[in-house]
Amino acid sequence: MHNKNNTQKAAHIIANGGLVAFPTETVYGLGANALNAEAVAKIFALKERPSFDPLIVHIDTFDWLEKLTKNTAPEIIPFLEHFMPGPLTVVLEKSDIVPPIVTSGLNTVGIRMPNNDIARELIRLSGCPIAAPSANKFGQLSPSSAAHVRKQLPNVDYILDGGNTQVGIESTIITFNDKECTLLRPGIITPEEITKYLPEGYTFTTKKIESIIAPGLLQSHYSPKKPLFIFDTLPENFPPHSGLILHKTMETPIVERCIFTSHTGNLVEVAAQLFSSLHTMEDDNSVEHIYIQAVAENGLGVAIMDRMKKAAFQYKPAP
C-alpha cells in the first residue's frame, strides 16, 4: 500500500523516462513525463493502443497550466480554479513545450489537475507534468484499483498503490472556443454545474468536435501540407526534391534530405519521432515530396501505421 518512499521511487522512474501507474480520483492512470516524446511513446506500446489518441496531461499547480498552454482567456481561470483539482479536463491551445505525440498532432492539449494527494505529490516530486490515459489494455475495463492494473499491465515499470479510486469513471472533458464552452466527454461534473460557474457572456453546448474527441475516425487526417507516400521496399531512386523518412540507419541515403526516426528500428523511438519528422519535412523548403518507410503492423506498429496511413491517405497513389 502507499507510503511516501513509494511515491519518491515512482517519481524517480517518471523523471528518468519510465512508466508509472498511479491513482487519481477517477481511474488509475498510466503516466509518463509529458515533455518527453519517447517516454510518451512507451504508453502506446504498453497499452497496445491502436491509434494515436490525444493524451490528458496531469498537473499539480496552475503554474503548469500557464506553461503548457497559450492564448487562454484570463476570465476562464477562476472557472477552472473552481473545478481544479477535480475530475475535469479542459482542452486549450497548447504551447510549444508539449510534444506533438501527446496531442495527436493537434494544436490543443487536455489539462487536468487530479483531486488525489498521491497523484499531485507524484507530479511535484517528478518535476514535470504527467501524460496519462487510463492504465489498462486498449478496449478493456478501466482500472479502479492497483489489482486491476496488475492484471492488465504486469510489465509496467511501477504501480503506485493508492487503494480504490473514488470516482471510477474518467473525467468530464470540455473545451473553450471564443465565448463557447463545449462538452467533449461527459463525466461526474455535470453540464448544470459547468453552466453555473461559466464566466459572464459564455454559452454552453454539447455538440461534438470530432477532431479533438476522436481524431482516429477520419480516413484522411493529420496530413502534412506536402504529398506523403508510404513505401515497403526502398525504391532505387526518388523524384527530385524528395525527403526520405527511415526507421533504421543507412550508410548512404539515396536522397539529400533524410531523417532517421530510429537508428535500430526501435518502434518506441519511431513513434516518438513520427510527428516531429513529418513537421521537419513539411517545414523544409528544399523538400517537395515526402516518402516514409512502412513498419510491420504488429504491436506498436499497428498504431504507427494507422497514423501514417491517415497522414498519406489524400495523396494516393504514389507517383
Side-chain angles (χ1 to χ4, degrees):
M1 201 58 177
H2 173 69
N3 65 49
K4 194 169 180 66
N5 288 340
N6 294 349
T7 310
Q8 288 171 334
K9 180 178 178 180
H12 181 75
I13 291 168
I14 292 282
N16 285 279
L19 299 185
V20 169
F22 65 98
T24 74
E25 78 278 33
T26 57
V27 298
Y28 272 70
L30 178 62
N33 178 351
L35 307 181
N36 180 338
E38 197 167 306
V40 172
K42 294 176 185 175
I43 294 174
F44 292 96
L46 190 63
K47 277 180 68 78
E48 298 173 5
R49 205 170 168 114
S51 61
F52 286 95
D53 293 324
L55 302 180
I56 293 170
V57 177
H58 296 69
I59 61 173
D60 63 329
T61 69
F62 274 89
D63 288 346
W64 276 119
L65 182 81
E66 195 175 321
K67 291 173 186 171
L68 296 167
T69 64
K70 62 182 182 183
N71 301 326
T72 301
E75 66 268 19
I76 71 167
I77 299 300
F79 167 86
L80 296 177
E81 286 173 341
H82 176 80
F83 289 105
M84 293 184 178
L88 181 79
T89 297
V90 61
V91 176
L92 299 167
E93 186 177 350
K94 81 174 189 74
S95 70
D96 293 339
I97 68 167
V98 182
I101 192 170
V102 173
T103 67
S104 292
L106 299 168
N107 68 346
T108 52
V109 62
I111 307 279
R112 178 163 118 70
M113 190 186 296
N115 188 18
N116 179 288
D117 292 342
I118 298 172
R120 292 202 308 281
E121 181 75 351
L122 175 63
I123 297 163
R124 186 182 72 78
L125 291 173
S126 301
C128 60
I130 295 179
S134 53
N136 58 336
K137 289 289 188 188
F138 180 82
Q140 295 186 20
L141 292 171
S142 292
S144 56
S145 72
H148 296 162
V149 179
R150 273 192 287 273
K151 181 176 70 172
Q152 295 190 45
L153 302 176
N155 297 326
V156 67
D157 295 327
Y158 194 73
I159 300 174
L160 195 52
D161 190 343
N164 294 330
T165 63
Q166 293 81 46
V167 175
I169 59 167
E170 291 85 357
S171 60
T172 304
I173 303 181
I174 59 168
T175 189
F176 286 92
N177 185 23
D178 294 327
K179 298 279 186 180
E180 189 173 77
C181 174
T182 303
L183 180 71
L184 299 180
R185 182 176 76 184
I188 200 160
I189 294 176
T190 63
E192 289 76 19
E193 289 177 90
I194 293 166
T195 305
K196 183 178 175 183
Y197 291 99
L198 277 179
E200 194 174 340
Y202 277 66
T203 57
F204 180 78
T205 175
T206 56
K207 71 182 180 187
K208 287 183 180 179
I209 299 177
E210 295 296 347
S211 62
I212 294 174
I213 197 168
L217 293 182
L218 304 176
Q219 282 186 303
S220 178
H221 207 54
Y222 320 117
S223 294
K225 295 188 178 82
K226 295 171 181 175
L228 173 69
F229 307 108
I230 303 169
F231 62 88
D232 290 305
T233 307
L234 192 67
E236 289 185 7
N237 50 56
F238 292 89
H241 310 296
S242 292
L244 183 58
I245 300 173
L246 298 173
H247 313 307
K248 208 169 184 177
T249 309
M250 280 178 60
E251 286 297 319
T252 52
I254 302 166
V255 299
E256 191 178 324
R257 191 70 179 100
C258 188
I259 294 175
F260 300 102
T261 57
S262 170
H263 294 302
T264 60
N266 180 317
L267 290 185
V268 169
E269 294 174 350
V270 173
Q273 297 304 319
L274 183 62
F275 294 105
S276 56
S277 62
L278 287 170
H279 274 288
T280 301
M281 288 296 190
E282 184 181 71
D283 296 339
D284 189 329
N285 292 331
S286 70
V287 172
E288 291 177 7
H289 310 272
I290 308 167
Y291 291 80
I292 189 165
Q293 185 179 23
V295 298
E297 291 193 62
N298 48 55
L300 183 54
V302 175
I304 293 168
M305 285 306 297
D306 174 83
R307 181 67 181 72
M308 269 192 222
K309 287 174 183 175
K310 287 180 171 65
F313 184 83
Q314 65 171 307
Y315 298 118
K316 290 180 179 177

